[in-house]
Amino acid sequence: MYLSDYPLDWEFTDEYLDNRPEIPEGEFPEYWIAVPVDKVLPSGVPYEILEELYIPEEDPVFNNIPSESEKGYTRKGEITDHEDLLMHLLNEAYTLTGNEKDLLNTPKKVKIEEAEDETYQMWIFGARWWPSGTIKIWDDNVARTHRPIIGYTTTYEYEELPCNNGNSEGEDAEDYLKCPKTKVTIKTPIYGTPVTKPGKYIPLRGAQVLMRQWFTVRQGITDQNGYFKTSSVRGSARYILQWERYEYSIRNGWISQAETRGPKLKKQGWYLHIKGGTAEYYGHIHRAAHHYYYGNIKGLRQPPKNSFWKTQTKIRAYLQSGGDCGSSSNSAGCHSSGWRAFGLYSPIKIYTYQSPTIQTYATTIHELTHSSHWNMNRSAFRSSESKVKESWARGVQWELTRMIYPDYRGGATILPNYTQVVVDMIDDDFKTTQPSTNRGHHNSTKDQVSGYTIKQIEDALNGQKNWNSWRDNIKNKYNNPTESHLDKLFKNYE
């Protein structure tokens, strides 16, 4: 059901739609849709029937007529076949509403030899055509300067292990020498010459393109090349990028559906290159949400899914950079804590408008991870320590974003609960991701853990509410050659 938050029987200007007043918080808008007469709506949904419609293009009796009449015209007052009947119905409908230009290719009067007057008119109508096109979006991440890692230097240190069950009090020098020691390998990256690459357009995958013609809507989904194709229409229709899929919807205000309106065309494809403005912003939020719901996420649990008794995940895209999300939240995004918002409310809020591409992508992944964490174990999530929630979300943000941007090194940690403990448990280079900004990051002798998978860490998180219980469950569930260093790693972030 392709809902519209403006009436379908009027052609609104982009300026009008862009400047509509925002709906006050707590109130809900009206939506318009044309549905089949036998469509059963869920009980409890309030609705009002505005008009009984007959849409000739939707009538199955016309399914098998040729795409164009063999005659190439239709004569007023004369119906000889199904094509003639459809053309007369369309002509009547569009004439009554004053929209003949949307249907006719070239309206003209043709002299009929056997007619003694000009009351016999002929029209050459628009034949069926299949809207299609390609959508690409600007990715500025590759426009940045990178310092490629071209190798590593390796050094070794010896780290003392605890004696007397961890109690060193009363140890004399001889006892101390008997304490076990372990050899620690330290790998330090060697960076090459900084490289700057230009940005580029990339295909926008999985986007929903609607072809809207009054009460008729056709849909197409872009493929890995950004290409889409809808079912057929006649006459002119408007291309629209509606920023939603079945599992999620991006909102451009309190609860208004975000969309990017394209041109109104006839027998022409839409080849859109998105750069700048709200369309680029919505597009990169969509890319991250599409990745989490429809892409490879290395076996992780998904955020809440849509169904008859549940609802889409709503993502509200604020047109500003940096939001007031509270002392325990990321200023680039927020999530509702401890409950799922039903209906039209947006539990996820993104504040990265006009920020770099990679920040919008990573922030969306981060906030969707909170939704997935809540959905995995709701009772545990509600009472979990903030450091557990945020560190987990930061880890998934790093892992999934690197699948698209391999050089991504994690976001800067401003607040103490945003640790890189998950990153440290996975990576094997024993280095900090951003030593200048990340609280707790330290020299490499403090991070000697590696080899855990993101799925193992998520499974160990299930049901755990505090920092140390999460750590202990990781040790209990898995055998890892570096697990003896987990205590020190977790302790360092306290």
Side-chain angles (χ1 to χ4, degrees):
M1 296 176 65
Y2 307 115
L3 299 171
S4 172
D5 55 6
Y6 47 84
L8 300 175
D9 58 349
W10 190 264
E11 183 67 23
F12 295 94
T13 65
D14 293 343
E15 182 180 8
Y16 170 81
L17 294 174
D18 292 341
N19 291 283
R20 289 176 293 170
E22 189 167 310
I23 297 171
E25 191 162 332
E27 295 185 13
F28 298 98
E30 293 179 327
Y31 283 88
W32 285 262
I33 189 171
V35 298
V37 292
D38 57 352
K39 176 73 175 180
V40 178
L41 297 176
S43 61
V45 176
Y47 65 89
E48 177 185 357
I49 297 176
L50 301 176
E51 195 77 43
E52 298 284 354
L53 303 174
Y54 173 68
I55 304 176
E57 304 97 308
E58 305 292 342
D59 194 329
V61 74
F62 298 119
N63 283 348
N64 297 319
I65 63 174
S67 59
E68 292 190 53
S69 171
E70 294 180 1
K71 297 182 297 184
Y73 64 87
T74 295
R75 178 184 298 175
K76 185 176 181 180
E78 180 179 298
I79 299 175
T80 59
D81 54 27
H82 277 79
E83 176 77 1
D84 269 346
L85 175 58
L86 176 60
M87 292 301 104
H88 278 75
L89 290 171
L90 290 174
N91 178 70
E92 187 70 11
Y94 280 79
T95 299
L96 288 173
T97 57
N99 292 292
E100 299 96 325
K101 64 181 182 300
D102 287 338
L103 185 66
L104 303 178
N105 280 342
T106 308
K108 53 176 71 172
K109 293 182 178 180
V110 180
K111 183 177 180 181
I112 309 299
E113 294 181 359
E114 60 270 23
E116 297 180 356
D117 54 50
E118 295 185 359
T119 58
Y120 292 89
Q121 293 182 340
M122 293 185 179
W123 297 268
I124 300 178
F125 287 87
R128 281 197 298 169
W129 62 286
W130 285 259
S132 63
T134 303
I135 312 294
K136 294 189 175 182
I137 189 168
W138 182 257
D139 185 348
D140 68 3
N141 177 66
V142 292
R144 300 185 179 194
T145 300
H146 305 280
R147 294 181 63 202
I149 297 175
I150 60 176
Y152 293 91
T153 58
T154 303
T155 57
Y156 303 96
E157 289 184 6
Y158 286 91
E159 183 180 46
E160 299 164 4
L161 296 178
C163 295
N164 300 331
N165 295 321
N167 182 9
S168 61
E169 294 183 7
E171 292 179 358
D172 55 26
E174 184 176 352
D175 291 333
Y176 179 78
L177 291 175
K178 296 177 181 178
C179 289
K181 294 179 175 60
T182 183
K183 188 177 181 180
V184 176
T185 302
I186 301 172
K187 298 174 66 178
T188 304
I190 301 173
Y191 293 97
T193 304
V195 177
T196 300
K197 297 180 180 179
K200 65 178 181 181
Y201 286 100
I202 61 173
L204 183 64
R205 184 175 187 174
Q208 176 173 266
V209 182
L210 302 182
M211 199 63 180
R212 184 171 289 159
Q213 187 183 60
W214 301 108
F215 302 103
T216 301
V217 178
R218 308 299 191 205
Q219 181 222 48
I221 302 295
T222 57
D223 64 14
Q224 67 272 15
N225 299 312
Y227 174 79
F228 71 91
K229 184 177 182 179
T230 76
S231 53
S232 65
V233 297
R234 292 176 182 267
S236 60
R238 183 177 297 282
Y239 288 98
I240 294 176
L241 256 175
Q242 192 170 78
W243 297 107
E244 74 164 341
R245 290 295 302 274
Y246 180 72
E247 303 293 356
Y248 61 86
S249 173
I250 300 169
R251 302 292 174 166
N252 65 356
W254 164 235
I255 43 179
S256 297
Q257 173 65 53
E259 65 178 34
T260 298
R261 288 161 57 85
K264 191 172 185 179
L265 299 175
K266 184 189 297 182
K267 291 190 175 181
Q268 295 183 56
W270 190 26
Y271 301 94
L272 175 65
H273 283 63
I274 299 171
K275 186 176 183 181
T278 58
E280 182 180 326
Y281 184 39
Y282 300 147
H284 291 305
I285 294 174
H286 156 78
R287 290 177 60 227
H290 185 268
H291 181 177
Y292 219 133
Y293 271 110
Y294 297 99
N296 175 14
I297 55 174
K298 299 189 175 183
L300 294 173
R301 295 165 175 82
Q302 290 180 313
K305 302 188 74 173
N306 196 1
S307 69
F308 184 83
W309 294 111
K310 298 180 181 178
T311 184
Q312 281 180 321
T313 293
K314 306 298 192 299
I315 305 171
R316 182 174 181 179
Y318 282 81
L319 301 185
Q320 64 191 73
S321 292
D324 181 11
C325 297
S327 60
S328 62
S329 297
N330 182 0
S331 61
C334 303
H335 66 283
S336 297
S337 178
W339 58 285
R340 179 176 182 177
F342 289 87
L344 301 174
Y345 179 71
S346 303
I348 294 176
K349 302 175 184 179
I350 306 295
Y351 294 94
T352 58
Y353 185 52
Q354 296 182 330
S355 296
T357 296
I358 200 167
Q359 183 178 353
T360 296
Y361 195 99
T363 298
T364 304
I365 293 291
H366 182 104
E367 300 307 328
L368 285 169
T369 302
H370 286 307
S371 294
S372 176
H373 187 183
W374 173 87
N375 198 46
M376 177 174 66
N377 193 311
R378 303 174 187 185
S379 61
F381 179 85
R382 292 186 182 99
S383 55
S384 290
E385 295 175 357
S386 177
K387 182 178 291 185
V388 172
K389 296 176 183 178
E390 298 300 343
S391 296
W392 169 240
R394 175 56 59 90
V396 177
Q397 167 186 333
W398 176 83
E399 182 81 345
L400 296 190
T401 302
R402 282 171 63 89
M403 295 178 69
I404 308 301
Y405 302 104
D407 59 346
Y408 179 62
R409 301 179 67 193
T413 299
I414 301 174
L415 300 172
N417 288 334
Y418 287 71
T419 79
Q420 299 284 20
V421 70
V422 174
V423 177
D424 289 340
M425 285 189 281
I426 296 172
D427 66 14
D428 60 359
D429 55 16
F430 305 121
K431 65 182 179 62
T432 60
T433 55
Q434 289 190 355
S436 62
T437 56
N438 287 339
R439 177 186 184 271
H441 269 180
H442 38 65
N443 64 64
S444 54
T445 61
K446 300 290 186 179
D447 171 18
Q448 295 300 313
V449 182
S450 67
Y452 289 97
T453 68
I454 194 72
K455 181 67 167 63
Q456 288 176 331
I457 299 171
E458 181 186 57
D459 288 343
L461 174 66
N462 192 3
Q464 306 308 311
K465 303 176 183 179
N466 61 64
W467 192 243
N468 289 337
S469 66
W470 183 20
R471 175 203 64 199
D472 294 342
N473 206 33
I474 293 171
K475 291 195 293 185
N476 293 335
K477 288 179 70 71
Y478 308 109
N479 292 320
N480 183 291
T482 67
E483 70 177 32
S484 61
H485 301 286
L486 272 174
D487 287 356
K488 178 177 290 186
L489 178 63
F490 273 71
K491 180 70 175 177
N492 187 71
Y493 285 111
E494 290 181 354

